[in-house]
Amino acid sequence: MSAPATRQQYGFTLIEILVAMAIFTIIGLASTGVLNSVINSDQLSSERFAKLESLQRAMLTMERDILQIVPRTVRVNSEFVSAVLTGGEDVLESDADGISFVRIGWYNPQMLLPRSTLQAVGYRIQEEQLQRLYGNYVDNVIGYEPKIKTLLTDVEDFRVSFLTDREHLEEPEKWQESYSEKALPLAISITIVSKTFGEIRREFMLANGQ
């Protein structure tokens, strides 16, 4: 018997190779697009989460300070200021509203540090930053400059208002827009307008309010 004929082997044609390369290129481009989308989404989520954390820290800091307000006057440039709390437009050279007061509860373990547990603090807006101003001493000498800590960025507006009459507790439009008195108000409202989170309003009832 004669030997069986061997099958003739063929290679890929140029067209087949080009088609295969085109398919792999399309798959690669699609994979790259998906990967970039995932990376950008993750980066955006991380940035958003970081801003949310900053907002939470800022609100907790303000809440702690405001709820610990005490009716204590301060001395500025060696002169006493009669008001225990000052708030409204242009306070502390703010681009919007500002507020300044004295709070208690500044931790000083066993009074080891050369200061009291009282602290003069203030809040203002400058260059779209919500800033907290503070110092080591309540009464400061001439030339003293407060320390500044930025709590939030991209802040478009900062407003404060004050409640002095309980009858207007549920009527925010009737709260005072400025305050400078020898007694504390009943409540303080803080409104922050953020480019990221929009308008945020918080109201704080004061234990030492009039």
Side-chain angles (χ1 to χ4, degrees), residues 41-77:
S41 177
D42 181 67
Q43 183 179 1
L44 183 62
S45 297
S46 298
E47 292 175 355
R48 183 92 174 185
F49 184 72
K51 290 183 178 181
L52 180 59
E53 284 187 323
S54 297
L55 175 63
Q56 291 174 332
R57 284 194 299 268
M59 298 307 294
L60 286 173
T61 299
M62 296 181 71
E63 178 180 8
R64 177 201 63 195
D65 285 345
I66 292 175
L67 293 181
Q68 295 185 120
I69 287 180
V70 291
R72 204 298 199 162
T73 58
V74 299
R75 188 169 58 201
V76 179
N77 292 333

Side-chain angles (χ1 to χ4, degrees), residues 11 28-29 31 36 39 58 98 103 109 115 157 167 170 192-193 206:
L29 291 174
S31 300
N36 288 336
I39 292 175
R103 67 127 176 159
R115 61 169 174 78
D157 198 10
E167 294 182 359
E170 304 298 331
I192 297 172
V193 181
L206 302 185

Side-chain angles (χ1 to χ4, degrees), residues 58-104:
M59 298 307 294
L60 286 173
T61 299
M62 296 181 71
E63 178 180 8
R64 177 201 63 195
D65 285 345
I66 292 175
L67 293 181
Q68 295 185 120
I69 287 180
V70 291
R72 204 298 199 162
T73 58
V74 299
R75 188 169 58 201
V76 179
N77 292 333
S78 299
E79 296 183 2
F80 279 102
V81 177
S82 60
V84 297
L85 184 149
T86 302
E89 191 175 4
D90 297 328
V91 172
L92 297 177
E93 300 179 348
S94 177
D95 295 338
D97 284 356
I99 185 172
S100 63
F101 52 86
V102 176
R103 67 127 176 159
I104 200 171

Side-chain angles (χ1 to χ4, degrees), residues 62-71 84-86 99-103 161-164 166 169 175 179 183-190 202-210:
M62 296 181 71
E63 178 180 8
R64 177 201 63 195
D65 285 345
I66 292 175
L67 293 181
Q68 295 185 120
I69 287 180
V70 291
V84 297
L85 184 149
T86 302
I99 185 172
S100 63
F101 52 86
V102 176
R103 67 127 176 159
S161 56
F162 308 90
L163 176 68
T164 57
R166 291 186 182 276
L169 181 60
W175 290 35
Y179 193 88
L184 294 175
L186 294 174
I188 297 174
S189 166
I190 300 292
R202 288 287 309 275
E203 296 176 0
F204 304 93
M205 296 296 295
L206 302 185
N208 296 314
Q210 60 184 355

